[in-house]
Amino acid sequence: MVSLNQLIGVCLVYVAGLFLVAFLAERAAIRGRGDWLLRSPLVYTLSLSIYCTAWTFYGAVGYAARSGMEFVTIYLGPSLVMIGWWWVLRRLVRIGRSQRVTSVADLISARYGKSNVLAIMITIMAVIGVTPYIALQLQSVTLSLSIFASPDPDAGGAALNNAHAAFWVAGGLALFTVLFGTRNLNANERHHGVVIAVAVEAVVKLFALLAVGAFVVWGIAGGLNETLARIDASSIGGWQAQGGRWSALIFLSAAAFLCLPRMFQVLVVENDDERHLQIASWAFPLYLMLMSLFVVPIAVTGLDLMPAGSNPDLYVLSIPLSQGHNGLAMFAFLGGFSSATSMVIVATLALSTMMSNHIVMPVWLKLRGGGAQQSGDVRGVIIRARRLSILLIISLGYLYYRASGGSGALAAIGLISFGGVAQFLPALLGGIFWRGATRMGAIWGLGIGFMLWMFTMLLPSFGPGAALSQGVFDHGLLGLGVLRPQALFGIDGIDPTVHAIWWSLSLNTFAFAVVSFFTFPHPLERLQGAQFVNVFDHSSGPAHGWTVAASGAEDLMIMSQRILGATEARAFFERHARWQGATGGLPRPTPAFVQALERELAGSVGAATANAMIGQIIGGQALSVEDLMAVADESAQIHEYSSQLEAKSRELTETAQELGHANQKLTQLSLQKDSFLSQISHELRTPMTSIRSFSQILRDTDALTGTEKTRFASIIHTETIRLTRLLDDLLDLSVMENGEVSLNSKPVNLRAVIDQAVMTSRAGSSNVITVHRTPEAEEIVLFTDGDRLAQVFINLVTNAIKYCDAAKPELTIAVRRDDDVIVVAFTDNGSGIPADGEGIVFEKFARLCNEDVDGAGLGLAICREILTRLGGEIRYVSHVGGATFEVRLATSAEAETSASLLSV
Amino acid sequence: MPRTSLFLERKSYRMRRIMDAIRFMPFVCAALWMVVPLMWSGGQGAHAATPLSAALWYIFGIWALAVMVSFALWWRIRSGDVDAAVSAADTSA
């Protein structure tokens, strides 16, 4: 038999070893060495093993001895979560890293608009939920001690001993946690000492359980097959899964794995590489499998060997002891001790962070009034708050242990604790997957779920007459039959655990969803929601802005120094100043800088507190419309971009079309110029030929009558005139184009000009055309060059006579006023100008269709030049049934003194 | 070169299917662990119950398989960029 003193001696050596390991790890981390181990996936995976507490170490065997295979559910849930890491954990870890989350309360409060109310709620709920769990660890350690203390585990007289033992264990754990858990303030950094100690303990407890298991299978039963036969023959040998319980417990353990503050601490907060998660996705299920591999054999052997009435929770210890294997028993004891201590250390650490960040700090800030800007070292306050919280939580656990008197099966207390923290699940998952989840929804869901958990699970666990009277159990709260704690709504006969889990979680989820449907989140909440849900798009960092114009960098510096410590704060500010390109001095408080600072502070004091502190200095944060738009509707940006692209491409198409038109026009003009050159050569050549031949005749032929001579000379003369006219036209155009024309402007009557034009045109032509006019509209006196204007009109009338192809050609000359423009429209009833000619009709040398009509194609070009000089313009208006040329004259050309002039 | 691009295409395609398998894994395990055992216990009384050894073999067998499959899948993706591989699949998933 091992003496109690021996055992305590071994324990002390073991604990001293742990202190040494933690100390060495911290030292190595400070010196920047040992990263290969401290930051390895192996240590990460092993640190997850704090899931396996003394409850699972001792309690699983007891659980198996009582209800067979059901114990395995609490391992299957976490295994499922780890195997499905891609769905939830990957997202949680990414959010934890990008938002510098310090705890599960911090994550939920940050998601719902950095709400302090939520953070406080969750902290209190976590403390209430986890305290029994800590008491459970103390109980298991003292129970296991007691089995060594007396030869007969059931003998009394160990109670006093137990209380003392529990006190010393609690004290030792508190000391360890304070020493290694509050060394660095930044809860976001890894606690290397703690993590490495936890990893060592993980190995110890695994090997302890495997050793006992191997001893039982090969040492007692005599082999695998014998063990299996023994299992089937035992009282728990036939397995019938209770459907509801089986599924509900797997679900509950999976939920608790995600929500337990200590699990969140090691899974998310202490994670420093996402790839470690991928490795843990198979390594941790493997660990859990090994942990539970020998549970059933140990339980069955215990049922066989141990006297009836002995505590099955302690089979792991009592079997080796009863077989006289003291060394093995001591190893098993160390395993259980490891499980208990590592759980208490990490759970306390996680809870103390939550308490100091979400309860102590806000209260302190509020009490200090002016808050963050006042002098005084906040660092000291936070560290003290955290240490006090650690002591408080461990004493709460100890008090609970004393109050509950160490009663109850281990597994039952564990499940109650799981049920409590599982209430976080709807708000947690809703927060990271559903942007519509609101703060009010989370508060209502958590509140209702927690109340139901208290009423249906926690309070009834003390037994009738303790917290709830027998009357409440039988007749419901306030005598209402629907409010019986183990048969809500009058539905009886459900297993109490399943009943509590089902009603609390389902109504929790229901309230969370329904309140979220009907409430409207404030901007910060929506922003955070978008960031959390779309974490893989936004992992660069938070996008909301501070309006920082009013704040000085000095204020921020003073505050940061007190939270981060002078050296770190200065380093942080200098780093940012360098990034901003400033040499020395403080960085400008740009929104980006303030955001970075907020996140840095959030790593120490939590998101809500950091937000509040910066808010105090900066004076309220503003969400700009752009911020909201950027987050609320990412698709709008994409849409905008694509429509920009569309507009650009349309613009390009239009430009290309214009260029094409211009090119076409140029080509056409060039062709026309060529054809005109040949035309003009022809025009010049024809008269030249006749002049040459007739002058030759006159020169060489002597026998010419006087009549003949006269006739030939006349022909030569006519041809010369034709040549001259052509040359005149060209000259005229060229002069006008060069702007060398001189205008002889004077008041003229429009009707007189049109009269002259019509008469002149008709006189020179054999074609008959009917001209329609409205003389009264033409009574306008213009101050212009009448001869030039007449030239334009003559050209237009002549063109109508020449080109109108109607059987009975008609020309309508209409005069009207368009605002301040006088429009003279010449419309014929011919077929008009072909569409492809419209663009070039006013160009020089443009000759459309009728090749047989003489003319050099200069007329309209000359018209256009004249009108440009006169301050007007000429247009071709295409319409069905004829061609219309509009001469538009500015009314400024209209003589102001028209009336007086006419009367003269 | 077309051959090179074909090779890369194949590789990222494979990577995505492995990610699909990883996403699929928890559902398979949940079905095997949570649903199948419920269908065993048909009758009443101890005789109708499944022998505990069979249940042990079943649960732990699946456990070991799940660990091995997870390990194999991780081995295939360990050097790749998971985010890049699933970014396209993310939107469709």
Side-chain angles (χ1 to χ4, degrees):
Chain A
M1 194 69 215
V2 190
S3 79
L4 193 61
N5 288 338
Q6 254 180 316
L7 192 69
I8 291 171
V10 171
C11 263
L12 287 178
V13 170
Y14 175 72
V15 170
L18 278 186
F19 272 77
L20 184 67
V21 166
F23 172 72
L24 289 178
E26 286 285 349
R27 211 175 58 164
I30 287 168
R31 293 183 181 173
R33 285 185 319 195
D35 270 9
W36 60 272
L37 182 66
L38 297 177
R39 294 178 192 278
S40 71
L42 177 72
V43 168
Y44 179 70
T45 307
L46 288 176
S47 71
L48 296 186
S49 75
I50 52 149
Y51 178 77
C52 305
T53 63
W55 171 32
T56 53
F57 192 84
Y58 295 122
V61 173
Y63 199 159
R66 291 185 193 96
S67 31
M69 203 63 197
E70 200 177 277
F71 83 93
V72 87
T73 52
I74 55 166
Y75 297 100
L76 291 184
S79 294
L80 280 176
V81 173
M82 285 312 293
I83 290 170
W85 63 277
W86 196 90
W87 292 104
V88 178
L89 288 178
R90 171 170 166 263
R91 197 171 265 268
L92 273 182
V93 166
R94 181 68 68 90
I95 291 172
R97 292 167 66 79
S98 72
Q99 302 279 330
R100 294 180 60 82
V101 163
T102 59
S103 65
V104 63
D106 192 33
L107 179 99
I108 294 180
S109 96
R111 159 62 181 84
Y112 297 104
K114 307 187 179 176
S115 149
N116 227 337
V117 175
L118 264 177
I120 290 173
M121 267 179 86
I122 291 172
T123 304
I124 293 174
M125 284 161 68
V127 170
I128 296 176
V130 174
T131 302
Y133 215 152
I134 292 175
L136 177 65
Q137 309 306 314
L138 298 178
Q139 179 188 343
S140 68
V141 172
T142 49
L143 262 182
S144 56
L145 271 176
S146 73
I147 203 171
F148 284 92
S150 66
D152 178 4
D154 294 324
L160 187 70
N161 203 355
N162 279 356
H164 275 289
F167 180 80
W168 286 112
V169 170
L173 290 175
L175 180 68
F176 185 91
T177 316
V178 166
L179 270 185
F180 293 100
T182 56
R183 282 178 78 89
N184 44 19
L185 180 60
N186 196 334
N188 207 240
E189 281 169 20
R190 297 193 81 175
H191 301 87
H192 290 289
V194 172
V195 167
I196 206 84
V198 164
V200 170
E201 298 202 293
V203 176
V204 170
K205 68 191 174 194
L206 178 65
F207 280 105
L209 201 59
L210 287 179
V212 176
F215 167 70
V216 162
V217 170
W218 285 281
I220 297 179
L224 199 59
N225 291 331
E226 288 79 356
T227 311
L228 288 175
R230 213 186 246 244
I231 288 170
D232 283 343
S234 72
S235 58
I236 55 169
W239 183 45
Q240 257 184 309
Q242 286 172 281
R245 236 181 117 75
W246 176 258
S247 316
L249 290 179
I250 291 181
F251 172 76
L252 181 65
S253 61
F257 185 68
L258 285 172
C259 300
L260 275 168
R262 69 171 196 276
M263 288 319 296
F264 192 87
Q265 176 82 26
V266 287
L267 262 175
V268 178
V269 181
E270 306 268 356
N271 175 292
D272 66 10
D273 189 339
E274 277 180 41
R275 277 172 302 179
H276 292 174
L277 186 63
Q278 296 173 21
I279 293 171
S281 78
W282 56 265
F284 189 61
L286 179 67
Y287 184 92
L288 288 178
M289 187 181 83
L290 294 176
M291 276 303 273
S292 50
L293 198 56
F294 290 113
V295 168
V296 172
I298 295 172
V300 168
T301 310
L303 285 173
D304 274 0
L305 292 183
M306 302 312 289
S310 56
N311 189 349
D313 286 333
L314 293 175
Y315 282 167
V316 176
L317 290 177
S318 53
I319 292 175
L321 272 183
S322 71
Q323 302 296 314
H325 287 268
N326 291 337
L328 184 61
M330 199 178 281
F331 190 31
F333 172 80
L334 279 185
F337 186 71
S338 296
S339 314
T341 49
S342 57
M343 180 273 170
V344 173
I345 289 166
V346 181
T348 313
L349 197 62
L351 283 179
S352 71
T353 306
M354 280 159 73
M355 271 178 85
S356 68
N357 283 356
H358 303 307
I359 297 180
V360 180
M361 280 309 292
V363 168
W364 186 82
L365 276 178
K366 196 148 250 170
L367 289 181
R368 295 293 296 263
Q373 267 164 312
Q374 288 188 4
S375 59
D377 195 350
V378 181
R379 256 160 84 77
V381 174
I382 300 172
I383 296 244
R384 268 199 301 279
R386 215 162 271 178
R387 288 181 178 159
L388 273 176
S389 307
I390 289 172
L391 294 178
L392 182 72
I393 291 159
I394 291 190
S395 0
L396 275 179
Y398 176 70
L399 287 178
Y400 186 96
Y401 164 71
R402 290 300 302 271
S404 69
S407 66
L410 297 179
I413 304 181
L415 281 182
I416 291 166
S417 192
F418 274 22
V421 293
Q423 303 305 326
F424 304 156
L425 192 71
L428 182 72
L429 290 189
I432 62 173
F433 285 107
W434 182 33
R435 273 171 67 170
T438 68
R439 191 173 65 95
M440 284 315 286
I443 289 176
W444 276 92
L446 282 169
I448 288 179
F450 200 71
M451 298 301 277
L452 282 171
W453 168 77
M454 294 265 277
F455 184 61
T456 59
M457 215 169 178
L458 182 66
L459 299 182
S461 74
F462 299 114
L468 298 173
S469 69
Q470 186 64 45
V472 173
F473 273 94
D474 294 339
H475 308 294
L477 195 64
L478 309 171
L480 294 171
V482 289
L483 288 183
R484 271 185 294 158
Q486 294 185 335
L488 278 185
F489 309 111
I491 301 168
D492 230 333
I494 313 178
D495 175 88
T497 307
V498 178
H499 172 271
I501 293 165
W502 162 251
W503 283 119
S504 60
L505 271 178
S506 62
L507 291 180
N508 177 343
T509 312
F510 181 76
F512 170 64
V514 170
V515 175
S516 291
F517 294 153
F518 295 105
T519 48
F520 197 80
H522 60 78
L524 186 59
E525 231 181 298
R526 298 178 76 181
L527 200 62
Q528 289 291 93
Q531 295 232 337
F532 275 55
V533 175
N534 303 337
V535 64
F536 295 107
D537 309 331
H538 290 271
S539 13
S540 51
H544 76 270
W546 291 93
T547 22
V548 282
S551 70
E554 290 83 7
D555 292 341
L556 291 174
M557 178 73 178
I558 291 165
M559 180 193 66
S560 318
Q561 274 184 339
R562 282 181 291 117
I563 295 175
L564 303 173
T567 327
E568 280 96 23
R570 209 171 300 129
F572 179 81
F573 275 63
E574 272 167 13
R575 197 164 61 239
H576 278 269
R578 253 200 322 280
W579 283 342
Q580 289 183 358
T583 46
L586 293 168
R588 288 185 312 282
T590 58
F593 167 71
V594 177
Q595 248 164 44
L597 181 64
E598 187 193 340
R599 291 214 303 162
E600 191 69 23
L601 296 180
S604 294
V605 293
T609 308
N611 190 266
M613 292 179 96
I614 291 204
Q616 278 186 350
I617 287 183
I618 283 171
Q621 85 208 55
L623 285 175
S624 68
V625 177
E626 295 92 85
D627 285 338
L628 274 184
M629 270 177 58
V631 178
D633 209 349
E634 294 89 356
S635 67
Q637 292 175 7
I638 297 162
H639 183 74
E640 194 186 335
Y641 183 62
S642 82
S643 65
Q644 271 175 5
L645 278 182
E646 224 171 85
K648 273 192 185 134
S649 90
R650 206 169 36 234
E651 220 170 274
L652 277 177
T653 318
E654 276 168 14
T655 315
Q657 261 173 5
E658 273 169 33
L659 277 175
H661 281 308
N663 190 36
Q664 220 178 340
K665 199 168 158 184
L666 280 174
T667 317
Q668 216 172 344
L669 279 176
S670 157
L671 284 175
Q672 271 158 10
K673 199 157 196 161
D674 288 348
S675 73
F676 175 73
L677 277 177
S678 63
Q679 171 73 20
I680 203 135
S681 318
H682 177 71
E683 293 284 336
L684 288 171
R685 192 187 165 89
T686 318
M688 278 303 191
T689 312
S690 56
I691 289 169
R692 201 178 71 189
S693 25
F694 284 112
S695 55
Q696 218 166 10
I697 293 169
L698 283 177
R699 189 189 65 193
D700 298 339
T701 317
D702 299 326
L704 281 177
T705 62
T707 338
E708 277 175 330
K709 273 185 188 166
T710 314
R711 195 163 64 86
F712 292 159
S714 302
I715 292 172
I716 292 172
H717 183 243
T718 317
E719 293 298 328
T720 319
I721 288 172
R722 209 171 135 190
L723 270 178
T724 314
R725 197 176 66 222
L726 184 65
L727 293 172
D728 276 349
D729 274 358
L730 282 170
L731 199 62
D732 208 10
L733 192 65
S734 141
V735 165
M736 268 187 293
E737 278 188 339
N738 292 329
E740 289 163 4
V741 69
S742 60
L743 295 172
N744 181 17
S745 292
K746 58 187 183 222
V748 288
N749 189 313
L750 186 58
R751 196 177 71 169
V753 179
I754 297 175
D755 279 345
Q756 184 200 343
V758 172
M759 212 159 62
T760 316
S761 317
R762 271 179 170 166
S765 167
S766 55
N767 294 5
V768 186
I769 190 163
T770 322
V771 179
H772 303 285
R773 293 175 59 187
T774 41
E776 52 279 15
E778 294 168 5
E779 285 294 347
I780 297 170
V781 177
L782 296 164
F783 188 77
T784 187
D785 188 326
D787 292 338
R788 288 292 184 186
L789 194 57
Q791 193 184 344
V792 172
F793 290 169
I794 289 167
N795 205 307
L796 291 174
V797 177
T798 317
N799 276 353
I801 293 170
K802 265 195 238 172
Y803 300 117
C804 184
D805 48 5
K808 267 184 70 184
E810 286 176 21
L811 175 70
T812 311
I813 301 171
V815 180
R816 67 171 197 277
R817 277 170 185 269
D818 270 2
D819 297 329
D820 52 353
V821 176
I822 293 162
V823 183
V824 186
F826 294 81
T827 310
D828 66 26
N829 62 344
S831 57
I833 294 170
D836 58 344
E838 283 173 19
I840 55 157
V841 71
F842 292 109
E843 302 297 336
K844 281 174 282 187
F845 317 124
R847 287 166 59 87
L848 306 165
C849 57
N850 317 31
E851 294 295 331
D852 52 329
V853 183
D854 68 334
L858 290 173
L860 285 173
I862 291 172
C863 288
R864 191 176 61 174
E865 285 304 322
I866 291 172
L867 279 167
T868 308
R869 299 292 147 213
L870 293 180
E873 58 175 330
I874 182 166
R875 292 181 180 172
Y876 175 72
V877 183
S878 76
H879 59 90
V880 185
T884 297
F885 284 91
E886 281 186 358
V887 174
R888 304 169 72 87
L889 297 161
T891 39
S892 58
E894 190 179 357
E896 282 163 14
T897 52
S898 54
S900 59
L901 278 167
L902 276 175
S903 64
V904 170
Chain B
M1 269 163 65
R3 274 194 88 81
T4 314
S5 71
L6 180 71
F7 178 65
L8 283 173
E9 195 60 40
R10 247 173 198 289
K11 199 174 158 190
S12 66
Y13 177 87
R14 187 52 49 215
M15 181 97 170
R16 277 184 203 176
R17 296 298 80 79
I18 290 171
M19 292 311 299
D20 286 346
I22 287 175
R23 274 177 278 185
F24 190 50
M25 273 292 283
F27 297 100
V28 177
C29 292
L32 291 174
W33 273 334
M34 288 175 87
V35 181
V36 174
L38 304 184
M39 296 188 284
W40 286 351
S41 47
Q44 296 291 316
H47 295 292
T50 314
L52 191 56
S53 58
L56 278 174
W57 276 116
Y58 177 77
I59 297 284
F60 282 91
I62 291 182
W63 214 330
L65 264 178
V67 168
M68 283 190 280
V69 173
S70 291
F71 174 79
L73 291 175
W74 166 76
W75 189 257
R76 297 288 299 269
I77 61 158
R78 69 192 189 284
S79 52
D81 182 359
V82 174
D83 282 345
V86 295
S87 57
D90 243 353
T91 49
S92 61

